[in-house]
Amino acid sequence: GLNPAWRWAVTTGRSEEDEETVWEEGASEERLAALRRIRRQDPGRGLGWVEEVWKSEKAEARTAMVEALVNGLSSADESFFERVLDDRSVRVREAAVALLARIPGGAYAKRAMARADAVLVEYEPPAGLLRRRRAGRLVVKPPEHPDAGWRRDLPGSEKPPQGVGEQAWRISHALATVPPGYWEERFGVGPS
């Protein structure tokens, strides 16, 4: 019990009622550990805990809670994460996007693929004559004016870091939310 790296071994025998007590009364790290454990056993109950306290928590705690919901992640969590996309904290929204993008077939995944399809419009296969061979290339069409949906679904894409163009920053954000396998299927080619 004294070594934090072995804390999991001490707490595995807790009942769900004990976990709920830790969630309600524990320190921040203890609460998150209880949330992770309960999500492994009963994902819906863990999500319920988060929803109950959501409005009273600070942004840092909300971010950590969203990240802890990765345990037991399923389509049942999608509506909560969609609401989180309207949170006032960019970090909280970014954490929600990271999990929404992992829910296959969800509304967010479909929007992300449609947005990415509008940006990455074509794959031109390799071509060449004689000894000159041109590698395959992707044709990119940057968005002219991203709408409110872009800003909501891609938090943090508004202000690029120093040295990165605005359009390149938006494009990289849009493409990062789409699973790589989607591109293999769409263009009919492997990663190489």
Side-chain angles (χ1 to χ4, degrees):
L2 299 176
N3 184 344
W6 285 87
R7 187 172 295 167
W8 63 270
V10 176
T11 58
T12 56
R14 287 188 176 154
S15 69
E16 286 190 24
E17 291 76 29
D18 293 339
E19 295 289 20
E20 191 157 1
T21 300
V22 171
W23 172 252
E24 291 172 357
E25 300 172 5
S28 179
E29 285 303 314
E30 293 171 326
R31 293 178 73 214
L32 290 171
L35 175 59
R36 287 183 197 100
R37 286 188 299 269
I38 204 69
R39 282 286 288 185
R40 285 186 200 104
Q41 299 167 11
D42 185 354
R45 187 170 183 195
L47 179 61
W49 288 359
V50 171
E51 289 179 312
E52 286 175 12
V53 300
W54 188 255
K55 290 184 179 183
S56 63
E57 297 291 337
K58 294 184 179 189
E60 184 177 314
R62 291 193 314 271
T63 302
M65 286 180 204
V66 167
E67 291 168 348
L69 292 175
V70 71
N71 292 333
L73 183 66
S74 73
S75 59
D77 301 319
E78 186 175 20
S79 64
F80 171 73
F81 292 131
E82 285 285 347
R83 290 191 308 272
V84 172
L85 288 179
D86 297 319
D87 194 273
R88 61 190 174 271
S89 167
V90 172
R91 292 200 51 194
V92 172
R93 293 191 316 264
E94 287 174 335
V97 162
L99 295 182
L100 272 169
R102 294 176 64 177
I103 299 174
Y108 181 86
K110 290 176 184 171
R111 290 193 311 268
M113 285 184 238
R115 185 175 15 264
D117 280 344
V119 169
L120 205 54
V121 295
E122 183 181 359
Y123 172 72
E124 295 175 353
L129 291 170
L130 304 172
R131 294 183 152 198
R132 295 179 181 205
R133 181 165 172 85
R134 178 181 59 82
R137 68 181 189 169
L138 295 167
V139 178
V140 177
K141 180 182 175 195
E144 291 189 26
H145 301 289
D147 60 13
W150 270 74
R151 288 187 291 282
R152 181 178 184 265
D153 281 355
L154 301 168
S157 65
E158 300 87 26
K159 297 178 184 175
Q162 184 91 17
V164 178
E166 215 173 288
Q167 286 185 336
W169 184 241
R170 273 193 220 106
I171 289 168
S172 66
H173 264 67
L175 298 180
T177 59
V178 178
Y182 174 74
W183 300 114
E184 289 183 65
E185 185 178 310
R186 178 168 177 229
F187 294 127
V189 294
S192 60

